[in-house]
Amino acid sequence: MRKSIIRLIAAVAAFAFVLPLTGCLQPVSLDECGFVISIGVDRGKEKKFYYTFALQRPLSEQNVKDEGGAIALSSEGESIFEAINEMEGNVPYSLNFSRTNFLIFSRETAEAGDIEELVSTSFDALKIRTSAVILVSEGNASEFIGGMYANNDANISKLQSALMLDEKKTGMVTVMSVSRLLEACSDARFDYCSAYGVYDGDIVTDTEQKKSESEGKNPLEDVKIGDRAGGLKSSITGAAIFSGYKMTGVLTRYETMLLNMVTGAFRTGVVTFPYKDGDSTVSVLLSLKKRSISVNEDLTGEAAIMLTAAVHEKDASVPDDEIDAWLTGELAGIIADDMLRVFLKCRSADSDAMRFGTGAVKLFRSAEEWDAFSWKERYRDFLPEFRVTIENTDKYLNENMQ
Amino acid sequence: MKLRQGRIGLFAGTALAALSLFTCGVFSIDPKTAYANGNSTYLSLPLAVIISLSALIPAMLVLNWKRVGLNGLFTYAFGKVGGIVAAVILSVSFVWAAAKPMTEFLLVLTRLVYDGVPYMRIVLYILPVTVFIAWKGFESVGRLALIFSGLILISVAAAALSASPEFAAYRLYPLPSGNADFFKTAFSGSVFFLPPLAALLVNEEGLGGVKNVRKTLAAAAFISAAAIGLVQFALALIYPHRVLSGLLMPLYRINFLSLRQSYALRLDKLFIMVWLLGCVISCAYLIYSASYLLTKTFSARDVTPAVLTVSAAVFFLVTAEFSENYARAEAVGSFFSRFGSLFALIPPLLAAAVGSIKLKKESRL
């Protein structure tokens, strides 16, 4: 009895001793951290760069409808570390980059190749995950960031997933992480492309409409015919193509869709095409079924794209019995020609955004042979053929309908 | 006698050796040399495991006839002094194989996980636990390995599978061509596989004899070769060789290409803590094995002094990277990357050769 009591006391004492030994290394309370979700980089006025940091509001404040989802901080610095030091002296928390999802560069900084400076030295030091996405903004990155969070939507995660949703539903956006940029620049098998966006201050956002309604005014009073109303002031208009770390060109949303088809990133999207050079139009839902690229030693190659198509809408003047032939014949030809046009645009910008280098590398047996081949230089003489086949899924549906 | 060996079965022994082989194979390779001319690690490292296993067969065969344990075989083959030298050389390889993956983990924790925490603090957080587990003995280490090996395997599989949507075959090219670099990687890779396998020979009594050691060695070697091959293949599908050559612990970042905001993206820190468990167990196993070998060689009765000595050597190696001895640590690292496999290969091979000659002479007499 006595032994068992002693054992019990010893066990409790051991447990009490061990419990404080568990815990964290250098624990930090959540409110001592400001979680940066987006970083914007612009040219500075007095210093090299102007950095904008969009911080997530604390969880307790996110339920308050009138509060926006993000806090924006800005500072100039010769490097991001200088800007952070400047900023942290003026806020009651330290900046934490473990949740940074977006890096937005102004077109000016992207074309100057300044992305390399941030990406190559800062990521590990700031503990930014290389799954973060790069965006290029036509104007200032700080303005673009402001436009992303100006809708007063406290649910930050919705805003962050909007880009991925756009890519999934329309196929007209390209979303790539910093890991891909590092892969592209270190390995030279392809070139990076990022989403390209613009800020439009004239857009009447949902919040502005709500405010007008609550004041008894017409929420669409300031909207002109032809303007977009609702949604974010910052939107994606296409893709920025790169040669190494430098941005060298811009693609429209349609061109981005074609690029995605060739790279295999395209899933599905609706496009409106003119019917036989007339005034009629046909809206077609396209989906990527199969895609392959090949490169030959004589610097020719082929991109074979197989799409499925379903007509969503067509003008009444477009004959039903001709639509199948048009889809599988003329439309396939139009898309192939447009793909070639996009390829030539990328090639003139010295960008292998269509990733033909990933086919070229298969010709070689060793890394030394591949390096000696110098694909980046050879690419300038490369000319592939684009072969597009379209399968009309409506035809099979209609045939099976009674 | 306080040798703290105890006894473990086939499953625990296999789990222990396989875990140590896997930890060494995935977390210890020098990326600059392994990926300098393409990526063949998904073939060359499993081959290195098989080469290491084959290199220990002669010693196993001799031990089958002369049941004296590996330290006894050294004494039998080389004499008292020669036996001590052989044991010390083999122990050095154990220390190196213990320190290398631990250093990799500590670097990742310092640079990528803990914000602003000094390296030494993390070392003092983890190393004492490792030493304690090693001091508890072979049976404790073996049972820990059996308990956690399933969890570690699941976490590695989950990490690789979460990255699978981003797998792309073009990253495998140029394919391994079986040239000199391929075999060089296979032979130099054995510096990390020979110690965990040789440690099983050292702990022969704890496994219940040479027959059980044979089965455990074979099972652990083949299981870990398959696991290492699959993991390296997954990494090859995610990162091309040029990116891998400059990446610290690519398995930790395997799903960073994935953009989907899912739970998988946030599991990397949880996984690294699980893998750290594996590294702690592997390190403890090798520390204990080196300590046991030295204790038996010097005919001591308590393994504790040897554990403390070997632990101090591991501590020195682990902290050398972040001290003023950095340049020397790099030089030692470079030496071991090229010639380290000889430290684990020569003593048992030579002892087997000399031992078998002596056995033949004795049998004639």
Side-chain angles (χ1 to χ4, degrees), chain A residues 345-380:
Chain A
K345 189 174 180 180
C346 291
R347 197 180 69 173
S348 66
D350 205 26
S351 174
D352 182 17
M354 284 191 171
R355 301 181 162 223
F356 282 100
T358 60
V361 71
K362 293 177 185 175
L363 296 171
F364 299 92
R365 287 189 176 184
S366 71
E368 294 96 337
E369 281 178 30
W370 167 244
D371 290 338
F373 182 68
S374 194
W375 168 247
K376 201 76 180 131
E377 284 165 28
R378 302 286 187 110
Y379 175 68
R380 290 169 197 149

mmCIF file of all heavy atoms in Angstrom, chain A residues 345-380:
data_model
loop_
_atom_site.group_PDB
_atom_site.id
_atom_site.type_symbol
_atom_site.label_atom_id
_atom_site.label_comp_id
_atom_site.label_asym_id
_atom_site.label_seq_id
_atom_site.Cartn_x
_atom_site.Cartn_y
_atom_site.Cartn_z
ATOM 1 N N LYS A 345 4.566 36.030 -81.315
ATOM 2 C CA LYS A 345 4.626 37.180 -80.389
ATOM 3 C C LYS A 345 5.562 36.851 -79.226
ATOM 4 O O LYS A 345 6.391 37.674 -78.815
ATOM 5 C CB LYS A 345 3.214 37.469 -79.879
ATOM 6 C CG LYS A 345 3.079 38.762 -79.084
ATOM 7 C CD LYS A 345 1.625 39.030 -78.764
ATOM 8 C CE LYS A 345 1.466 40.317 -77.983
ATOM 9 N NZ LYS A 345 0.059 40.610 -77.667
ATOM 10 N N CYS A 346 5.437 35.644 -78.690
ATOM 11 C CA CYS A 346 6.301 35.231 -77.571
ATOM 12 C C CYS A 346 7.750 35.142 -78.053
ATOM 13 O O CYS A 346 8.675 35.578 -77.357
ATOM 14 C CB CYS A 346 5.878 33.870 -77.022
ATOM 15 S SG CYS A 346 4.293 33.879 -76.165
ATOM 16 N N ARG A 347 7.940 34.581 -79.239
ATOM 17 C CA ARG A 347 9.312 34.419 -79.739
ATOM 18 C C ARG A 347 9.972 35.769 -79.976
ATOM 19 O O ARG A 347 11.148 35.950 -79.690
ATOM 20 C CB ARG A 347 9.319 33.600 -81.022
ATOM 21 C CG ARG A 347 10.697 33.047 -81.386
ATOM 22 C CD ARG A 347 10.656 32.246 -82.651
ATOM 23 N NE ARG A 347 10.415 33.087 -83.811
ATOM 24 C CZ ARG A 347 10.455 32.651 -85.072
ATOM 25 N NH1 ARG A 347 10.704 31.386 -85.322
ATOM 26 N NH2 ARG A 347 10.211 33.462 -86.077
ATOM 27 N N SER A 348 9.211 36.709 -80.482
ATOM 28 C CA SER A 348 9.803 38.044 -80.712
ATOM 29 C C SER A 348 10.121 38.726 -79.378
ATOM 30 O O SER A 348 10.976 39.601 -79.311
ATOM 31 C CB SER A 348 8.876 38.921 -81.559
ATOM 32 O OG SER A 348 7.707 39.207 -80.836
ATOM 33 N N ALA A 349 9.442 38.306 -78.308
ATOM 34 C CA ALA A 349 9.741 38.833 -76.969
ATOM 35 C C ALA A 349 10.787 37.969 -76.269
ATOM 36 O O ALA A 349 11.012 38.116 -75.067
ATOM 37 C CB ALA A 349 8.463 38.883 -76.133
ATOM 38 N N ASP A 350 11.389 37.033 -77.034
ATOM 39 C CA ASP A 350 12.434 36.155 -76.498
ATOM 40 C C ASP A 350 11.936 35.315 -75.317
ATOM 41 O O ASP A 350 12.681 35.039 -74.379
ATOM 42 C CB ASP A 350 13.658 36.992 -76.045
ATOM 43 C CG ASP A 350 14.930 36.153 -76.066
ATOM 44 O OD1 ASP A 350 14.995 35.184 -76.840
ATOM 45 O OD2 ASP A 350 15.842 36.465 -75.270
ATOM 46 N N SER A 351 10.668 34.926 -75.396
ATOM 47 C CA SER A 351 10.068 34.187 -74.296
ATOM 48 C C SER A 351 9.531 32.845 -74.776
ATOM 49 O O SER A 351 8.690 32.798 -75.686
ATOM 50 C CB SER A 351 8.925 35.012 -73.694
ATOM 51 O OG SER A 351 8.236 34.270 -72.707
ATOM 52 N N ASP A 352 10.021 31.771 -74.157
ATOM 53 C CA ASP A 352 9.505 30.441 -74.475
ATOM 54 C C ASP A 352 8.360 30.118 -73.499
ATOM 55 O O ASP A 352 8.392 29.123 -72.781
ATOM 56 C CB ASP A 352 10.620 29.396 -74.368
ATOM 57 C CG ASP A 352 10.147 27.994 -74.736
ATOM 58 O OD1 ASP A 352 9.080 27.872 -75.375
ATOM 59 O OD2 ASP A 352 10.838 27.026 -74.361
ATOM 60 N N ALA A 353 7.366 31.006 -73.503
ATOM 61 C CA ALA A 353 6.244 30.823 -72.572
ATOM 62 C C ALA A 353 5.425 29.591 -72.923
ATOM 63 O O ALA A 353 4.724 29.055 -72.074
ATOM 64 C CB ALA A 353 5.359 32.072 -72.570
ATOM 65 N N MET A 354 5.503 29.146 -74.169
ATOM 66 C CA MET A 354 4.744 27.954 -74.567
ATOM 67 C C MET A 354 5.475 26.666 -74.202
ATOM 68 O O MET A 354 4.964 25.574 -74.463
ATOM 69 C CB MET A 354 4.461 27.997 -76.070
ATOM 70 C CG MET A 354 3.355 28.979 -76.421
ATOM 71 S SD MET A 354 2.845 28.774 -78.120
ATOM 72 C CE MET A 354 1.379 29.820 -78.167
ATOM 73 N N ARG A 355 6.682 26.799 -73.645
ATOM 74 C CA ARG A 355 7.389 25.667 -73.042
ATOM 75 C C ARG A 355 7.840 24.620 -74.043
ATOM 76 O O ARG A 355 7.824 23.423 -73.727
ATOM 77 C CB ARG A 355 6.516 25.009 -71.976
ATOM 78 C CG ARG A 355 6.124 25.955 -70.895
ATOM 79 C CD ARG A 355 5.281 25.283 -69.859
ATOM 80 N NE ARG A 355 5.289 26.092 -68.680
ATOM 81 C CZ ARG A 355 5.415 25.628 -67.457
ATOM 82 N NH1 ARG A 355 5.520 24.354 -67.246
ATOM 83 N NH2 ARG A 355 5.406 26.446 -66.449
ATOM 84 N N PHE A 356 8.259 25.043 -75.206
ATOM 85 C CA PHE A 356 8.780 24.065 -76.161
ATOM 86 C C PHE A 356 10.126 23.509 -75.698
ATOM 87 O O PHE A 356 10.524 22.423 -76.117
ATOM 88 C CB PHE A 356 8.890 24.697 -77.556
ATOM 89 C CG PHE A 356 7.562 24.780 -78.257
ATOM 90 C CD1 PHE A 356 6.851 25.968 -78.289
ATOM 91 C CD2 PHE A 356 7.012 23.655 -78.870
ATOM 92 C CE1 PHE A 356 5.614 26.044 -78.928
ATOM 93 C CE2 PHE A 356 5.777 23.726 -79.514
ATOM 94 C CZ PHE A 356 5.078 24.921 -79.536
ATOM 95 N N GLY A 357 10.809 24.221 -74.834
ATOM 96 C CA GLY A 357 12.080 23.720 -74.295
ATOM 97 C C GLY A 357 11.907 22.414 -73.532
ATOM 98 O O GLY A 357 12.821 21.593 -73.477
ATOM 99 N N THR A 358 10.708 22.210 -72.947
ATOM 100 C CA THR A 358 10.486 20.970 -72.203
ATOM 101 C C THR A 358 10.400 19.775 -73.153
ATOM 102 O O THR A 358 10.585 18.635 -72.739
ATOM 103 C CB THR A 358 9.191 21.040 -71.374
ATOM 104 O OG1 THR A 358 8.090 21.260 -72.253
ATOM 105 C CG2 THR A 358 9.254 22.163 -70.364
ATOM 106 N N GLY A 359 10.128 20.057 -74.425
ATOM 107 C CA GLY A 359 10.174 19.001 -75.439
ATOM 108 C C GLY A 359 11.576 18.843 -75.994
ATOM 109 O O GLY A 359 12.026 17.743 -76.281
ATOM 110 N N ALA A 360 12.279 19.993 -76.128
ATOM 111 C CA ALA A 360 13.634 19.951 -76.685
ATOM 112 C C ALA A 360 14.591 19.159 -75.798
ATOM 113 O O ALA A 360 15.470 18.456 -76.286
ATOM 114 C CB ALA A 360 14.159 21.379 -76.877
ATOM 115 N N VAL A 361 14.436 19.244 -74.487
ATOM 116 C CA VAL A 361 15.366 18.582 -73.565
ATOM 117 C C VAL A 361 15.336 17.065 -73.727
ATOM 118 O O VAL A 361 16.308 16.377 -73.418
ATOM 119 C CB VAL A 361 15.079 18.994 -72.101
ATOM 120 C CG1 VAL A 361 13.784 18.381 -71.586
ATOM 121 C CG2 VAL A 361 16.226 18.660 -71.193
ATOM 122 N N LYS A 362 14.235 16.543 -74.251
ATOM 123 C CA LYS A 362 14.120 15.084 -74.399
ATOM 124 C C LYS A 362 15.011 14.546 -75.514
ATOM 125 O O LYS A 362 15.186 13.331 -75.631
ATOM 126 C CB LYS A 362 12.657 14.711 -74.673
ATOM 127 C CG LYS A 362 11.764 14.997 -73.476
ATOM 128 C CD LYS A 362 10.305 14.689 -73.756
ATOM 129 C CE LYS A 362 9.468 15.115 -72.559
ATOM 130 N NZ LYS A 362 8.042 14.960 -72.761
ATOM 131 N N LEU A 363 15.580 15.442 -76.320
ATOM 132 C CA LEU A 363 16.462 14.991 -77.404
ATOM 133 C C LEU A 363 17.847 14.618 -76.889
ATOM 134 O O LEU A 363 18.623 13.995 -77.618
ATOM 135 C CB LEU A 363 16.615 16.113 -78.441
ATOM 136 C CG LEU A 363 15.350 16.552 -79.194
ATOM 137 C CD1 LEU A 363 15.628 17.809 -80.006
ATOM 138 C CD2 LEU A 363 14.846 15.436 -80.098
ATOM 139 N N PHE A 364 18.163 14.986 -75.631
ATOM 140 C CA PHE A 364 19.543 14.875 -75.159
ATOM 141 C C PHE A 364 19.718 13.789 -74.114
ATOM 142 O O PHE A 364 18.827 13.496 -73.334
ATOM 143 C CB PHE A 364 20.015 16.230 -74.600
ATOM 144 C CG PHE A 364 19.988 17.297 -75.633
ATOM 145 C CD1 PHE A 364 18.865 18.097 -75.781
ATOM 146 C CD2 PHE A 364 21.048 17.461 -76.503
ATOM 147 C CE1 PHE A 364 18.811 19.054 -76.763
ATOM 148 C CE2 PHE A 364 21.001 18.421 -77.492
ATOM 149 C CZ PHE A 364 19.892 19.221 -77.640
ATOM 150 N N ARG A 365 20.938 13.223 -74.117
ATOM 151 C CA ARG A 365 21.220 12.113 -73.210
ATOM 152 C C ARG A 365 21.951 12.537 -71.954
ATOM 153 O O ARG A 365 22.083 11.755 -71.022
ATOM 154 C CB ARG A 365 22.071 11.075 -73.926
ATOM 155 C CG ARG A 365 21.306 10.291 -74.935
ATOM 156 C CD ARG A 365 22.137 9.148 -75.438
ATOM 157 N NE ARG A 365 21.342 8.356 -76.351
ATOM 158 C CZ ARG A 365 21.736 7.243 -76.917
ATOM 159 N NH1 ARG A 365 22.938 6.795 -76.658
ATOM 160 N NH2 ARG A 365 20.965 6.586 -77.728
ATOM 161 N N SER A 366 22.483 13.739 -71.948
ATOM 162 C CA SER A 366 23.194 14.152 -70.734
ATOM 163 C C SER A 366 22.981 15.641 -70.508
ATOM 164 O O SER A 366 22.644 16.389 -71.437
ATOM 165 C CB SER A 366 24.689 13.858 -70.839
ATOM 166 O OG SER A 366 25.289 14.743 -71.784
ATOM 167 N N ALA A 367 23.195 16.056 -69.263
ATOM 168 C CA ALA A 367 23.015 17.458 -68.911
ATOM 169 C C ALA A 367 24.033 18.327 -69.647
ATOM 170 O O ALA A 367 23.732 19.464 -70.033
ATOM 171 C CB ALA A 367 23.165 17.633 -67.396
ATOM 172 N N GLU A 368 25.245 17.783 -69.877
ATOM 173 C CA GLU A 368 26.267 18.572 -70.579
ATOM 174 C C GLU A 368 25.840 18.856 -72.011
ATOM 175 O O GLU A 368 26.026 19.956 -72.514
ATOM 176 C CB GLU A 368 27.623 17.835 -70.611
ATOM 177 C CG GLU A 368 28.278 17.661 -69.251
ATOM 178 C CD GLU A 368 27.969 16.315 -68.637
ATOM 179 O OE1 GLU A 368 26.954 15.696 -69.012
ATOM 180 O OE2 GLU A 368 28.726 15.891 -67.773
ATOM 181 N N GLU A 369 25.287 17.843 -72.690
ATOM 182 C CA GLU A 369 24.821 18.024 -74.079
ATOM 183 C C GLU A 369 23.711 19.074 -74.127
ATOM 184 O O GLU A 369 23.660 19.913 -75.030
ATOM 185 C CB GLU A 369 24.292 16.706 -74.632
ATOM 186 C CG GLU A 369 25.360 15.728 -75.087
ATOM 187 C CD GLU A 369 24.748 14.412 -75.575
ATOM 188 O OE1 GLU A 369 23.610 14.413 -76.083
ATOM 189 O OE2 GLU A 369 25.421 13.385 -75.404
ATOM 190 N N TRP A 370 22.785 19.011 -73.149
ATOM 191 C CA TRP A 370 21.679 19.965 -73.108
ATOM 192 C C TRP A 370 22.200 21.379 -72.895
ATOM 193 O O TRP A 370 21.783 22.319 -73.556
ATOM 194 C CB TRP A 370 20.701 19.562 -72.014
ATOM 195 C CG TRP A 370 19.686 20.597 -71.642
ATOM 196 C CD1 TRP A 370 19.560 21.225 -70.440
ATOM 197 C CD2 TRP A 370 18.655 21.157 -72.471
ATOM 198 N NE1 TRP A 370 18.523 22.133 -70.465
ATOM 199 C CE2 TRP A 370 17.956 22.110 -71.713
ATOM 200 C CE3 TRP A 370 18.272 20.958 -73.804
ATOM 201 C CZ2 TRP A 370 16.877 22.842 -72.203
ATOM 202 C CZ3 TRP A 370 17.190 21.689 -74.301
ATOM 203 C CH2 TRP A 370 16.514 22.622 -73.502
ATOM 204 N N ASP A 371 23.143 21.533 -71.949
ATOM 205 C CA ASP A 371 23.710 22.865 -71.700
ATOM 206 C C ASP A 371 24.423 23.396 -72.935
ATOM 207 O O ASP A 371 24.311 24.575 -73.271
ATOM 208 C CB ASP A 371 24.707 22.807 -70.516
ATOM 209 C CG ASP A 371 24.000 22.564 -69.197
ATOM 210 O OD1 ASP A 371 22.791 22.856 -69.116
ATOM 211 O OD2 ASP A 371 24.649 22.061 -68.248
ATOM 212 N N ALA A 372 25.152 22.517 -73.617
ATOM 213 C CA ALA A 372 25.909 22.935 -74.807
ATOM 214 C C ALA A 372 24.967 23.348 -75.950
ATOM 215 O O ALA A 372 25.308 24.186 -76.780
ATOM 216 C CB ALA A 372 26.819 21.810 -75.263
ATOM 217 N N PHE A 373 23.791 22.763 -76.001
ATOM 218 C CA PHE A 373 22.811 23.060 -77.063
ATOM 219 C C PHE A 373 22.324 24.504 -77.000
ATOM 220 O O PHE A 373 22.021 25.107 -78.033
ATOM 221 C CB PHE A 373 21.630 22.096 -76.931
ATOM 222 C CG PHE A 373 20.578 22.268 -77.987
ATOM 223 C CD1 PHE A 373 20.846 21.943 -79.314
ATOM 224 C CD2 PHE A 373 19.304 22.718 -77.656
ATOM 225 C CE1 PHE A 373 19.873 22.082 -80.294
ATOM 226 C CE2 PHE A 373 18.326 22.865 -78.623
ATOM 227 C CZ PHE A 373 18.609 22.547 -79.954
ATOM 228 N N SER A 374 22.233 25.054 -75.796
ATOM 229 C CA SER A 374 21.846 26.451 -75.587
ATOM 230 C C SER A 374 20.484 26.757 -76.213
ATOM 231 O O SER A 374 20.366 27.513 -77.204
ATOM 232 C CB SER A 374 22.935 27.365 -76.165
ATOM 233 O OG SER A 374 22.762 28.673 -75.724
ATOM 234 N N TRP A 375 19.471 26.178 -75.662
ATOM 235 C CA TRP A 375 18.114 26.293 -76.187
ATOM 236 C C TRP A 375 17.647 27.736 -76.297
ATOM 237 O O TRP A 375 16.963 28.106 -77.233
ATOM 238 C CB TRP A 375 17.150 25.510 -75.290
ATOM 239 C CG TRP A 375 15.694 25.770 -75.560
ATOM 240 C CD1 TRP A 375 14.816 26.389 -74.734
ATOM 241 C CD2 TRP A 375 14.959 25.429 -76.741
ATOM 242 N NE1 TRP A 375 13.574 26.461 -75.324
ATOM 243 C CE2 TRP A 375 13.631 25.891 -76.560
ATOM 244 C CE3 TRP A 375 15.288 24.807 -77.952
ATOM 245 C CZ2 TRP A 375 12.641 25.711 -77.511
ATOM 246 C CZ3 TRP A 375 14.292 24.635 -78.914
ATOM 247 C CH2 TRP A 375 12.985 25.081 -78.689
ATOM 248 N N LYS A 376 18.033 28.591 -75.391
ATOM 249 C CA LYS A 376 17.582 29.984 -75.374
ATOM 250 C C LYS A 376 17.966 30.686 -76.675
ATOM 251 O O LYS A 376 17.212 31.487 -77.203
ATOM 252 C CB LYS A 376 18.230 30.671 -74.164
ATOM 253 C CG LYS A 376 17.540 31.920 -73.699
ATOM 254 C CD LYS A 376 16.249 31.657 -72.929
ATOM 255 C CE LYS A 376 15.668 33.007 -72.529
ATOM 256 N NZ LYS A 376 14.304 33.194 -72.820
ATOM 257 N N GLU A 377 19.144 30.368 -77.185
ATOM 258 C CA GLU A 377 19.581 30.993 -78.435
ATOM 259 C C GLU A 377 18.945 30.297 -79.626
ATOM 260 O O GLU A 377 18.519 30.947 -80.574
ATOM 261 C CB GLU A 377 21.100 30.923 -78.547
ATOM 262 C CG GLU A 377 21.786 31.956 -77.640
ATOM 263 C CD GLU A 377 23.261 31.664 -77.467
ATOM 264 O OE1 GLU A 377 23.868 31.059 -78.367
ATOM 265 O OE2 GLU A 377 23.793 32.031 -76.396
ATOM 266 N N ARG A 378 18.863 28.964 -79.558
ATOM 267 C CA ARG A 378 18.315 28.203 -80.687
ATOM 268 C C ARG A 378 16.828 28.491 -80.882
ATOM 269 O O ARG A 378 16.300 28.393 -81.986
ATOM 270 C CB ARG A 378 18.474 26.708 -80.459
ATOM 271 C CG ARG A 378 19.871 26.246 -80.252
ATOM 272 C CD ARG A 378 20.674 26.243 -81.536
ATOM 273 N NE ARG A 378 21.968 25.646 -81.336
ATOM 274 C CZ ARG A 378 22.337 24.483 -81.837
ATOM 275 N NH1 ARG A 378 21.498 23.785 -82.567
ATOM 276 N NH2 ARG A 378 23.537 24.000 -81.596
ATOM 277 N N TYR A 379 16.156 28.860 -79.795
ATOM 278 C CA TYR A 379 14.713 29.106 -79.826
ATOM 279 C C TYR A 379 14.345 30.191 -80.829
ATOM 280 O O TYR A 379 13.273 30.180 -81.415
ATOM 281 C CB TYR A 379 14.259 29.492 -78.401
ATOM 282 C CG TYR A 379 12.822 29.900 -78.268
ATOM 283 C CD1 TYR A 379 11.796 28.982 -78.452
ATOM 284 C CD2 TYR A 379 12.486 31.215 -77.942
ATOM 285 C CE1 TYR A 379 10.472 29.365 -78.331
ATOM 286 C CE2 TYR A 379 11.168 31.600 -77.817
ATOM 287 C CZ TYR A 379 10.165 30.674 -78.002
ATOM 288 O OH TYR A 379 8.853 31.055 -77.875
ATOM 289 N N ARG A 380 15.269 31.104 -81.035
ATOM 290 C CA ARG A 380 14.971 32.221 -81.957
ATOM 291 C C ARG A 380 14.766 31.732 -83.387
ATOM 292 O O ARG A 380 14.156 32.424 -84.196
ATOM 293 C CB ARG A 380 16.113 33.247 -81.919
ATOM 294 C CG ARG A 380 16.153 34.001 -80.608
ATOM 295 C CD ARG A 380 17.410 34.825 -80.438
ATOM 296 N NE ARG A 380 17.559 35.188 -79.022
ATOM 297 C CZ ARG A 380 18.709 35.367 -78.402
ATOM 298 N NH1 ARG A 380 19.848 35.251 -79.054
ATOM 299 N NH2 ARG A 380 18.746 35.674 -77.119
#
